[in-house]
Amino acid sequence: MLRSISLTISLFLAAVSSAPALTLSLSDIGPRVRAAHPSLKAARMAVEEARGRQLGAGRLSNPTVGLDSRNETYLSPGEVMFSLDQSFPITKRLRLEKQLTAQLVTAAELEVKDAERRLISEAQTLAVQILAIEQQRSLRQQQTELATKLSEFVTGRAKAGELSALDAAQAQVDAQRLIVEARKLEGESRSLLGTLKPMLNLDPDDALSLSGKLPEMNVPGKGANWVLRADYQLAEAKVIASQTDIGLAKANKWQDVSAGIFAGPETQNAPGDDRRTNGVIGFRISLPLPFWNKNEGQVAEKTAAAERVRLEQAALGKQIRSDAENARKDMQMSHDLARETRDKLLPLVIEQTGKLEKAYESGQADLLTILRAREQRLALEAAALDAVRDFHLARIRYETAIGKHAPATPAPKPVR
């Protein structure tokens, strides 16, 4: 029995450990974050909270039922009165309350969209860094293979007495240096993957890998449409809601009117054994007058708040335009740097390195010159990859600035 349980547990652990790794491309990151990020799942509940508040808004208060009993005295008869009272506004307060809560639902939905925009940007930034590191690791592996071949060549020549044993040792050190750099990059990639996993709703032990390479570099033109960015639409929704809030504050100048009916029997003893019973029915109304409190304070507060959100929206628009243009300029600069390095500098260095290697094999150059030339080539190739990485990081900032991956629908215009 115990052996069977142990075998079952072993098979289960083997199945868990052999679970396939989740493989995503850079284009898969946005949809995955939108669907699986734990913070977004929690944020969407704020929308449900706003909808719940909307259900209870714009409704009349519940009616009240009363019972009033009085004993008979020498001055008044006995009474038992039943009453029903209802309060209702004489302004458009209920309609404004309903309208305001609907606008707040829209604002809550836009807040979720804005959270999507920011979280997708963070996840894509991590993914670009990981893919860039993988390209750097691939470059180090290629350089390590070249360094290993050089080390083997120098070692063989050194054993034959044609080259110095110091050159062989130096070539081995250079190859080992590249191996260490590749391992360091591997550690950086693992750390970034660990940061990315929670954003994709993965556990620390879940396997995750990124496929593909960084896409081609294309610099967008000026004049991108950014008005559908979620936080800008959120600011627009707040401006509209603030106007509704002002109308609601003005409507609250008049408090609710209370109206009701009352009815009941009225009894009184007469001389002798006679007992008189009469019926009473009536109507009453109560209207609070705005003599001492006209709600000026709340109206002034809501008016100032409306001006504040209007100014905040204008400031946000300027900031968005600045962020988008700065990111676009960074893209252009990184694009030009990568092209210049790849198309102009690298071919010259590769050609020069090849000539030096042939000269070294014929005894016309020393090993230090070869290693320095290879180091320059590695530095240029790494710089070109860094420029490509910086381009895509700027591209992500640009797309985040214009709200490309989480656009919002325009906020509705206020109802006058």
Side-chain angles (χ1 to χ4, degrees), residues 107-398:
E109 293 171 344
L110 290 171
E111 286 181 352
V112 174
K113 279 289 184 182
D114 188 52
E116 288 181 7
R117 179 185 66 87
R118 290 182 283 104
L119 292 173
I120 289 174
S121 173
E122 294 177 12
Q124 287 182 333
T125 298
L126 291 172
V128 165
Q129 292 173 339
I130 292 169
L131 290 175
I133 287 177
E134 291 302 315
Q135 291 183 343
Q136 291 282 5
R137 285 180 61 194
S138 177
L139 175 62
R140 296 303 189 281
Q141 290 175 358
Q142 295 175 9
Q143 293 292 333
T144 301
E145 292 175 0
L146 292 176
T148 301
K149 291 180 180 179
L150 179 61
S151 175
E152 293 173 353
F153 169 78
V154 175
T155 301
R157 297 287 293 272
K159 290 180 179 179
E162 298 176 1
L163 293 175
S164 172
L166 295 177
D167 285 352
Q170 184 62 44
Q172 292 176 357
V173 169
D174 187 63
Q176 188 63 34
R177 176 182 63 83
L178 293 170
I179 294 174
V180 171
E181 290 182 4
R183 290 179 178 175
K184 181 180 178 181
L185 291 171
E186 181 182 0
E188 293 177 4
S189 177
R190 186 184 303 110
S191 176
L192 292 173
L193 280 172
T195 306
L196 181 60
K197 284 180 182 180
M199 306 184 75
L200 306 177
N201 199 25
L202 297 176
D203 293 329
D205 295 333
D206 292 339
L208 172 65
S209 63
L210 298 181
S211 62
K213 296 182 179 180
L214 295 175
E216 292 296 324
M217 297 183 292
N218 294 307
V219 181
K222 293 185 177 181
N225 182 18
W226 50 266
V227 294
L228 292 183
R229 184 169 135 168
D231 56 346
Y232 186 78
Q233 289 296 316
L234 175 60
E236 177 69 19
K238 288 181 178 179
V239 170
I240 296 173
S242 67
Q243 297 300 321
T244 305
D245 223 2
I246 292 174
L248 184 59
K250 292 179 178 179
N252 283 330
K253 171 183 176 180
W254 290 90
Q255 298 180 13
D256 290 356
V257 173
S258 178
I261 59 174
F262 58 91
E266 180 182 271
T267 60
Q268 185 175 19
N269 293 324
D273 294 334
D274 189 14
R275 185 176 180 83
R276 299 176 181 177
T277 301
N278 299 316
V280 177
I281 186 170
F283 174 79
R284 61 190 176 203
I285 185 171
S286 174
L287 174 63
L289 299 176
F291 284 170
W292 321 125
N293 182 13
K294 299 181 181 180
N295 213 32
E296 301 101 325
Q298 191 177 38
V299 172
E301 176 191 353
K302 300 302 182 182
T303 302
E307 180 63 15
R308 173 179 56 81
V309 296
R310 186 190 67 80
L311 294 174
E312 288 176 348
Q313 183 196 23
L316 179 60
K318 292 182 179 179
Q319 186 64 49
I320 291 174
R321 291 194 297 270
S322 177
D323 291 344
E325 183 58 21
N326 288 337
R328 196 191 68 82
K329 290 180 179 178
D330 290 343
M331 292 169 66
Q332 185 66 61
M333 183 180 66
S334 298
H335 176 274
D336 295 341
L337 179 60
R339 294 297 185 188
E340 182 178 357
T341 303
R342 286 178 171 177
D343 298 341
K344 296 181 180 180
L345 296 178
L346 265 178
L348 295 176
V349 172
I350 292 173
E351 181 182 0
Q352 182 66 15
T353 303
K355 292 179 180 179
L356 289 173
E357 288 175 352
K358 292 181 179 179
Y360 177 74
E361 293 175 359
S362 61
Q364 298 177 0
D366 57 19
L367 180 64
L368 184 60
T369 303
I370 298 296
L371 295 180
R372 186 180 297 113
R374 286 192 171 184
E375 187 175 351
Q376 290 176 350
R377 175 181 174 179
L378 175 61
L380 282 176
E381 291 179 337
L385 292 178
D386 286 343
V388 174
R389 177 203 62 196
D390 294 342
F391 171 88
H392 288 288
L393 292 177
R395 176 180 60 82
I396 290 173
R397 294 198 304 273
Y398 175 80

Side-chain angles (χ1 to χ4, degrees), residues 40 48 180:
L40 290 178
E48 299 304 319
V180 171

